[in-house]
Amino acid sequence: MKDYGTFLRLWIGQSVSGLGSQLTGFGLAVWVFQKTHSVGMMAMIYMATAVPGILLSPFLGALVDRINRKKMLLFSDCFAGVFSLFLAVILTTGTLQLWEVYLVAGAGSIATTIMWPTMSATTSLLVPKEQFGRATGLLQFGDAGSVILAPILGGFIYGYLGLKGLLFADVFSFLFAITMTLLCHIPQPEDTAEGVKARQSFWSEASFGFHFVFARTGLMILLFYFMFINLVLPISTTLIAPIILSHWDARTLGFVQSMAGVGMLVGTAIIAAWGGPKKKIYGLPIFGIVTFVASLLMLLPLNIATMSACFFIIMVSSPIVNACSQVIWQRKTPADVQGKVFAVRRMFAWFMTPLAYGIAGPLADRVFEPNHHPAEWLQRFSHGLVSSEPGAGLRSMFVVSAILTLIASLAVFLLPRFRHLEEELPDAELKAKPEAAPEPILTTA
């Protein structure tokens, strides 16, 4: 039996928990930079919040399907909350070391890797299929809200209470999420043939997600498409700060980033209200087309309005394409193996993001930006709109990444196995186990 009210309670709890995690991430990055004055050391924070979860995804996904999902949600919140509390206590003693900061960041990565497939798989049981798009929109709405609010609240709390204040706020957010989860009844999925087939050794369960995806060509193409997008798009987003700071100050950077966050919030609100196109696969090329069109604003004379509009438009489309993809995966994956499959999907897609950050710097510094000359072909294409001023090479790089996104979006849509994925691959069983009948109360005569 579907229970949208339970989903909403879980969503509220995990959204508050996500905000707390964003606050901690903000505070850790600021603390490390203030202590070391090293961009490299600060970048290690972002690596620590990504790599452990990526490497452990298949094993944690297997646990999600093996263990009661309510317990897994509670464990993820408790695990991250305990490490944040540990760091707050150490900070109080004045003996906090860098390795302890990275340890807590890594623990947060593991907790998120448990929470995400668990919440996604639980949503499949609580929400009717026709409401998957709206539910995914709400989940992304919570993420977008955290991205926007965390820098504002984080800067305020850090200014008055320091990192310790942010860590205690994070602990309270986890306590709130735990309370909301305890108040919910979370069903377990009904057994399916795929699920029974997957129940062998733990190692075989960890590899089941790989076999499931690669045995279904349409899903495999969908996964590779998002791997490519998660490689190209972060390269673009890392250019926001250097492009803006080449001409303006940090206040302008904050304004443009806020507009990008507002765009993401608008996009999640749209998908939450609309639910996406009836045939979800049609929503995927939209992202490539919109990203390309918005990037053309970079060819205009540089000003704050065009920069803000560019990133706003791109971020509006991002939650829509993510929601369309999520709905397809939820509909086509049996409920009792979604933990394993979604964890592998996350591992492949998210693996590309750290790689993108590693590529973006050398490309910008050694290829596009030297001597401040954009690529010759781009000069011809833009009729001189992109000049040789500082940051022009970065703008060229941004447009090139958008062109690659457009090409990939149109190319995959030309593949019949991708285009007809929703018709060729039948919807999976997404039923919860029936409630066990209560045991009779024994009485004595």
Side-chain angles (χ1 to χ4, degrees), residues 259-378:
M259 289 304 297
V262 171
M264 185 177 178
L265 201 63
V266 170
T268 57
I270 290 172
I271 194 65
W274 172 35
K278 185 175 181 180
K279 191 171 179 179
K280 304 303 177 187
I281 206 76
Y282 287 161
L284 300 178
I286 292 174
F287 176 72
I289 296 170
V290 171
T291 298
F292 173 71
V293 171
S295 72
L296 295 180
L297 294 172
M298 286 289 188
L299 301 177
L300 299 175
L302 194 63
N303 59 64
I304 297 173
T306 55
M307 291 287 292
S308 300
C310 174
F311 294 116
F312 176 87
I313 294 169
I314 290 174
M315 294 310 295
V316 167
S317 67
S318 180
I320 297 174
V321 71
N322 286 333
C324 289
S325 172
Q326 174 72 359
V327 170
I328 292 172
W329 284 96
Q330 285 180 308
R331 287 180 176 175
K332 305 304 178 182
T333 309
D336 57 341
V337 298
Q338 285 190 357
K340 291 184 277 287
V341 174
F342 288 178
V344 166
R345 167 193 165 204
R346 177 188 176 92
M347 182 189 75
F348 273 94
W350 282 45
F351 169 76
M352 306 307 289
T353 301
L355 181 61
Y357 292 144
I359 293 173
L363 272 179
D365 294 337
R366 300 176 186 176
V367 179
F368 282 86
E369 189 62 14
N371 302 318
H372 309 304
H373 286 293
E376 184 179 346
W377 67 268
L378 187 61

Side-chain angles (χ1 to χ4, degrees), residues 174-443:
F174 285 124
L175 290 175
F176 178 81
I178 290 168
T179 302
M180 295 299 287
T181 303
L182 288 172
L183 294 175
C184 295
H185 168 70
I186 300 177
Q188 290 297 105
E190 199 173 68
D191 293 339
T192 66
E194 288 282 0
V196 173
K197 179 182 175 182
R199 288 179 204 146
Q200 300 173 27
S201 69
F202 182 72
W203 293 102
S204 64
E205 284 198 54
S207 64
F208 176 83
F210 297 92
H211 298 304
F212 182 92
V213 174
F214 293 122
R216 293 158 176 80
T217 305
L219 290 180
M220 184 173 63
I221 296 172
L222 178 60
L223 177 62
F224 286 159
Y225 169 71
F226 271 89
M227 286 178 66
F228 183 80
I229 294 301
N230 284 348
L231 174 65
V232 175
L233 187 61
I235 291 177
S236 301
T237 56
T238 57
L239 302 177
I240 298 177
I243 289 174
I244 293 174
L245 294 177
S246 297
H247 300 271
W248 297 291
D249 57 13
R251 183 178 301 177
T252 303
L253 173 63
F255 174 78
V256 174
Q257 287 181 325
S258 295
M259 289 304 297
V262 171
M264 185 177 178
L265 201 63
V266 170
T268 57
I270 290 172
I271 194 65
W274 172 35
K278 185 175 181 180
K279 191 171 179 179
K280 304 303 177 187
I281 206 76
Y282 287 161
L284 300 178
I286 292 174
F287 176 72
I289 296 170
V290 171
T291 298
F292 173 71
V293 171
S295 72
L296 295 180
L297 294 172
M298 286 289 188
L299 301 177
L300 299 175
L302 194 63
N303 59 64
I304 297 173
T306 55
M307 291 287 292
S308 300
C310 174
F311 294 116
F312 176 87
I313 294 169
I314 290 174
M315 294 310 295
V316 167
S317 67
S318 180
I320 297 174
V321 71
N322 286 333
C324 289
S325 172
Q326 174 72 359
V327 170
I328 292 172
W329 284 96
Q330 285 180 308
R331 287 180 176 175
K332 305 304 178 182
T333 309
D336 57 341
V337 298
Q338 285 190 357
K340 291 184 277 287
V341 174
F342 288 178
V344 166
R345 167 193 165 204
R346 177 188 176 92
M347 182 189 75
F348 273 94
W350 282 45
F351 169 76
M352 306 307 289
T353 301
L355 181 61
Y357 292 144
I359 293 173
L363 272 179
D365 294 337
R366 300 176 186 176
V367 179
F368 282 86
E369 189 62 14
N371 302 318
H372 309 304
H373 286 293
E376 184 179 346
W377 67 268
L378 187 61
Q379 285 182 314
R380 293 196 299 267
F381 174 72
S382 63
H383 301 291
L385 289 176
V386 176
S387 64
S388 58
E389 61 189 353
L394 300 180
R395 294 163 66 191
S396 301
M397 184 175 167
F398 188 93
V399 175
V400 169
S401 68
I403 292 173
L404 292 175
T405 301
L406 175 66
I407 293 172
S409 301
L410 297 179
V412 295
F413 204 71
L414 294 176
L415 300 174
R417 300 300 297 273
F418 179 83
R419 192 169 62 252
H420 302 303
L421 165 62
E422 292 178 89
E423 295 85 9
E424 290 185 356
L425 193 61
D427 284 357
E429 290 291 331
L430 301 173
K431 295 180 180 179
K433 285 183 178 179
E435 295 294 322
E439 296 184 3
I441 300 174
L442 299 178
T443 58

Side-chain angles (χ1 to χ4, degrees), residues 10-31:
L10 288 175
W11 169 67
I12 292 171
Q14 294 305 318
S15 295
V16 172
S17 172
L19 175 59
S21 298
Q22 289 282 347
L23 289 173
T24 292
F26 173 87
L28 292 180
V30 172
W31 186 88

